[in-house]
Amino acid sequence: MDLQIISRDGEPEYAVLPWAQYQALLRAAGVAPSPEPEAATHIQAESEQSSSAADLPSLSQLGALREAKGLAVAQLARTVGISPSYLDLIESGAREPDAAIRRSLAWELGVAGWRGEA
């Protein structure tokens, strides 16, 4: 099963899985599967339109975004699952995080993503 666990403050908060697997779980539980919700389609289309590269922050703004949220380096690093020293290297531009870390940082800081993200 392709399952992603999203944590907040070190505790699991959400479980994300592909729609087909979710539907299979519903069938196995004896619950009638539902069609794809229109709201999810609408939200996805909206986010694709509103998050053009020009609207996204640059990864070089990571430190400022973290400070604006009132988060210490150690706190954000722990939540994302990396060391504070590695977060310092990312903020200074000495290291480029992989896509999973970029997504986690964006999630924790409440941004749609990062400009130039692959």
Side-chain angles (χ1 to χ4, degrees):
M1 180 175 288
D2 300 321
L3 182 66
Q4 177 186 9
I5 304 297
I6 300 172
S7 299
R8 183 172 300 278
D9 298 326
E11 295 294 321
E13 187 167 330
Y14 298 99
V16 181
L17 67 156
W19 184 258
Q21 291 178 5
Y22 169 70
Q23 293 297 308
L25 284 173
L26 288 177
R27 283 191 297 277
V31 178
S34 59
E36 184 171 342
E38 290 180 29
T41 305
H42 178 68
I43 291 169
Q44 180 182 6
E46 244 180 43
S47 69
E48 288 171 1
Q49 292 172 358
S50 65
S51 61
S52 69
D55 296 337
L56 300 176
S58 167
L59 195 56
S60 65
Q61 296 171 287
L62 174 61
L65 289 167
R66 177 185 52 74
E67 289 172 0
K69 290 279 188 177
L71 297 171
V73 170
Q75 183 181 6
L76 179 58
R78 182 179 57 248
T79 304
V80 172
I82 60 176
S83 69
S85 60
Y86 186 57
L87 182 56
D88 278 332
L89 291 171
I90 295 169
E91 286 187 1
S92 71
R95 292 284 187 270
E96 188 72 25
D98 65 22
I101 293 172
R102 291 168 75 105
R103 282 190 301 272
S104 293
L105 289 168
W107 174 263
E108 293 302 327
L109 295 172
V111 297
W114 305 104
R115 199 174 318 134
E117 182 174 34

